[in-house]
Amino acid sequence: MRRLSEWPPIRRYASRITVTGSRMQAIVLAAGLWITAVYTVGIPGPLDRNGILKGIDFLQFYVAGRVVASGDAARLYDWTAFVEHLRTVAPADDTLFVSVYPPQTALIFRPAGGRGYFAALAGWTLISALLCVICVRAFQSTL
């Protein structure tokens, strides 16, 4: 059985791929994603243009850290208590997250839980961006 990379249409396409072309495609993709992200969340207030809380994917980690930071760690997996903490951050939102990650995750996010939601989100976003830059630089050095 032949490998997929030996299939003639794949070989023809692969022979036309260049580093310069791949780099340009990556730049265009990154620019498009950043423009879309800035457009979506680049308005004042806690909600984005779609009416969703900014950083919604960070919310459950923040709340888990907040539960631990508030000294309520014994109730980390009590769904009612978790939702009570969640509602203090996003009271008007009907989003429901429960803690499904191991307790070490809540400990990692404990420092964030001691701050306001948007300050913690800004810190997490900065850390994520820095890690992304470090990974891209490390990958570039292998080329």
Side-chain angles (χ1 to χ4, degrees):
M1 183 172 198
R2 290 191 327 182
R3 295 174 49 196
L4 184 61
S5 62
E6 295 171 355
W7 192 42
I10 299 289
R11 293 192 107 179
R12 267 193 312 274
Y13 177 74
S15 68
R16 291 183 286 179
I17 296 175
T18 64
V19 172
T20 305
S22 296
R23 183 175 293 130
M24 186 53 66
Q25 288 179 3
I27 290 169
V28 169
L29 176 63
L33 290 172
W34 275 106
I35 289 167
T36 302
V38 168
Y39 174 78
T40 303
V41 299
I43 60 171
L47 304 179
D48 66 13
R49 290 187 190 276
N50 299 315
I52 299 171
L53 181 70
K54 292 176 183 175
I56 192 77
D57 52 342
F58 173 70
L59 182 60
Q60 68 181 346
F61 300 110
Y62 172 76
V63 172
R66 187 176 174 143
V67 168
V68 173
S70 70
D72 208 10
R75 298 180 64 198
L76 183 61
Y77 296 101
D78 176 351
W79 290 9
T80 305
F82 196 85
V83 170
E84 287 172 10
H85 282 276
L86 181 76
R87 293 292 170 247
T88 63
V89 178
D93 199 347
D94 62 349
T95 302
L96 178 62
F97 287 117
V98 293
S99 187
V100 296
Y101 292 96
Q104 297 88 338
T105 305
L107 290 174
I108 291 169
F109 286 95
R110 184 181 182 276
R115 290 166 176 59
Y117 175 71
F118 289 105
L121 177 61
W124 182 248
T125 302
L126 180 63
I127 290 169
S128 297
L130 288 173
L131 288 173
C132 183
V133 167
I134 290 168
C135 289
V136 167
R137 297 282 176 161
F139 180 73
Q140 281 179 335
S141 67
T142 64
L143 293 178

